[in-house]
Amino acid sequence: MTFAVALTFVAVLGLGTASILKVEQKALEDETDLVFNLLSKSVIPERYNPASFFKKRESNSSKVTAFQWMDCGGMGAHIKSLSLSPDPLKFPGTMTIGASAIISTKLDSPLQANVTIEKKVGSTYVKIPCIDDFGSCVYDDLCDILDGATCPDVLTKNGINCNCPFDVKTYTLPPSPFDAGSLYFPSGDYHARGELRSNGKFMACLDIHLSIATN
């Protein structure tokens, strides 16, 4: 499960729900379009800007200089290591992911997932809305979504399943390639956070910062 969350963060950088697109209120439609237009523009990752760029700001403490991750708590699972390359990510192309995690409490349905994805615009992170279950979304039961999913061979060969339940054990994925040839995300700096809850209990959390550069 923890690996599914990690891979979701790398791949999930999308836009709102189908219901949002059907909203009849013109003001809300206009606001949504403005957000989409803003987030869809390619931005040079901050690490490539000259020092003079940061002198114009009060602080550069939020500068994304490299891929960063943090296990942000939970009582059921913990990420012990996580690597992602190339850094910045480049689409289309191949990304390499390595990870290790410990699941200390069996994770099974219902497994609620709360995913937040933000793109940095200027000095501020702007949340990418949830559209068609893609973006900053709340999934009532991740097990339902994963039910029947085809697990990549590289995961199954390493004893990692993609369906519930997720048993108590230590999972290890050596650095492995994943084809991202069909994906495209605008270049820039991103922040993502995912939280898992089961029957109201806080089970796992992963927080990452990463950059995407145009090929």
Side-chain angles (χ1 to χ4, degrees):
M1 181 62 244
T2 313
F3 288 107
V5 174
L7 294 176
T8 297
F9 280 133
V10 175
V12 177
L13 297 171
L15 307 168
T17 60
S19 60
I20 291 180
L21 297 178
K22 298 177 182 177
V23 173
E24 296 180 357
Q25 298 180 14
K26 180 64 175 169
L28 182 56
E29 289 178 349
D30 290 344
E31 181 179 341
T32 302
D33 287 341
L34 287 173
V35 173
F36 288 176
N37 291 335
L38 183 65
L39 296 175
S40 64
K41 293 181 178 179
S42 291
V43 179
I44 299 175
E46 282 190 340
R47 68 182 76 182
Y48 295 134
N49 285 315
S52 58
F53 173 84
F54 299 99
K55 289 181 179 180
K56 298 176 182 179
R57 302 184 180 184
E58 294 181 359
S59 172
N60 66 354
S61 59
S62 64
K63 180 180 178 182
V64 179
T65 59
F67 171 68
Q68 304 168 26
W69 69 274
M70 178 181 69
D71 182 298
C72 39
M75 58 182 295
H78 292 282
I79 297 275
K80 295 301 181 181
S81 67
L82 179 62
S83 63
L84 175 67
S85 63
D87 184 20
L89 286 176
K90 295 184 178 181
F91 298 111
T94 299
M95 56 184 172
T96 300
I97 301 173
S100 64
I102 296 176
I103 293 182
S104 56
T105 302
K106 186 176 182 178
L107 301 178
D108 204 353
S109 181
L111 196 60
Q112 185 188 70
N114 189 333
V115 177
T116 300
I117 303 174
E118 302 171 315
K119 182 179 181 182
K120 197 166 191 179
V121 180
S123 59
T124 303
Y125 278 101
V126 178
K127 181 184 290 187
I128 296 176
C130 178
I131 293 180
D132 290 337
D133 290 331
F134 209 56
S136 298
C137 304
V138 175
Y139 305 96
D140 291 334
D141 190 357
L142 200 56
C143 292
D144 282 345
I145 297 175
L146 295 174
D147 185 35
T150 300
C151 205
D153 289 342
V154 67
L155 296 184
T156 57
K157 288 178 180 178
N158 285 281
I160 303 169
N161 64 302
C162 297
N163 305 104
C164 296
F166 298 94
D167 296 325
V168 174
K169 63 180 291 187
T170 297
Y171 296 83
T172 301
L173 176 69
S176 306
F178 292 85
D179 183 18
S182 62
L183 299 176
Y184 171 76
F185 301 112
S187 61
D189 296 316
Y190 292 85
H191 167 250
R193 181 184 179 95
E195 300 177 354
L196 291 179
R197 287 179 170 78
S198 180
N199 295 316
K201 296 181 179 179
F202 184 41
M203 303 303 291
C205 179
L206 176 64
D207 189 282
I208 69 173
H209 287 82
L210 59 84
S211 299
I212 296 175
T214 304
N215 258 330

